[in-house]
Each structure stands twice: as structure tokens, then as C-alpha cells.
């Protein structure tokens, strides 16, 4: 199946000709799938790639949502870790010692806190 990548210059809108050209490297199987989609929708390969990218971006979550999701996932994972650690600790330990051990296991030893990339950097005054 051979889908032309260049349409008739007369049918291309003038504004479209001013768009920057982007080369796309795709596996042969993906190129064949794009070509089949382009043929089914009577588009050139270039227009099909543009349309498919536009459709994908419309349904993709926003970048800020993924950062927020990462933070909520980290909080949830930490809560699960604390729950599991509490189950393993000796119930006879005093509450302050239990908290100290949980904090040390979830946050790490204080001597390594400056190497943690997931914690904000502390400014020395």
C-alpha cells in the first residue's frame, strides 16, 4: 500500500505550507498502520501523522496532572510502607521509639538526607 506523502500543491492551504517540516522515524509496522489509516481517511501520510498526533494529544493527560499523580502515588506508597513497618515492629516498644524507627526507615538516616534527590534542598544560613 503506497500512500503519497506529498499532496497536490494546489490543494494545500497556503498557511499549511508555512508549517515547519518535521521528520519522523517509525518502525515499518507503524508506518504501514499509519498508511492504512491515511488511506481509509483519504489523507496523505503527513496529514495522517498530524491528525493522529492531534487526536493523541487531546486524550493524553496534561503534564501537570501526571506530576500531581506522581506526588499522590508517592504519598500512597509511603502510607503503605508505614503500615507494613508498624506491623513488623514490636508492640511493646514505646510510641516515641516506634515513631523514630518508622521515620528512620521511611526517610532514611539523617546523615544521608543531603544525598536524597526526592527531598527539597536545605539552605544553610
Amino acid at each position: 500500500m503506497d500512500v503519497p506523502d506529498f499532496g497536490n500543491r494546489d490543494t494545500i492551504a497556503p498557511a499549511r505550507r508555512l508549517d515547519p517540516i518535521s521528520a519522523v522515524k517509525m518502525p515499518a509496522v507503524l508506518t504501514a498502520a499509519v498508511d492504512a489509516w491515511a488511506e481509509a481517511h483519504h489523507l496523505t501520510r503527513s496529514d495522517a501523522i498530524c491528525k493522529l498526533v492531534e487526536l493523541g494529544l487531546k486524550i493524553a493527560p496534561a503534564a501537570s496532572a501526571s506530576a500531581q499523580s506522581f506526588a499522590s502515588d508517592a504519598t500512597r506508597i509511603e502510607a503503605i510502607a508505614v503500615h507494613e513497618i508498624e506491623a513488623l515492629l514490636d508492640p511493646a516498644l514505646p510510641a516515641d521509639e516506634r515513631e523514630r524507627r518508622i521515620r528512620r526507615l521511611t526517610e532514611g538516616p539523617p546523615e544521608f538526607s543531603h544525598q536524597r534527590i526526592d527531598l527539597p534542598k536545605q539552605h544553610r544560613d
Side-chain angles (χ1 to χ4, degrees):
M1 168 173 350
D2 197 22
V3 177
D5 198 25
F6 301 103
N8 183 348
R9 285 191 182 262
D10 296 335
T11 62
I12 299 174
R16 181 72 179 205
R17 278 189 235 141
L18 298 176
D19 289 343
I21 297 174
S22 299
V24 179
K25 183 177 180 181
M26 298 186 297
V29 175
L30 186 57
T31 301
V34 169
D35 287 345
W37 193 90
E39 187 174 312
H41 291 86
H42 308 291
L43 297 170
T44 64
R45 179 185 292 160
S46 177
D47 290 337
I49 291 171
C50 284
K51 187 66 177 170
L52 289 167
V53 169
E54 287 172 359
L55 290 170
L57 290 173
K58 282 182 184 177
I59 64 168
S64 61
S66 65
Q68 184 180 16
S69 172
F70 176 76
S72 64
D73 286 348
T75 303
R76 186 177 55 81
I77 290 168
E78 184 175 352
I80 292 169
V82 167
H83 177 73
E84 293 298 318
I85 293 167
E86 285 175 341
L88 295 172
L89 289 176
D90 182 6
L93 284 172
D96 60 331
E97 178 61 17
R98 290 175 64 82
E99 289 300 317
R100 186 190 72 75
R101 290 184 183 190
I102 290 171
R103 186 174 49 254
R104 187 162 172 92
L105 288 170
T106 56
E107 295 176 9
E111 54 269 20
F112 296 114
S113 63
H114 67 281
Q115 294 178 345
R116 297 267 310 263
I117 61 171
D118 61 325
L119 296 177
K121 298 294 179 201
Q122 305 240 345
H123 297 289
R124 295 181 184 179
D125 295 327

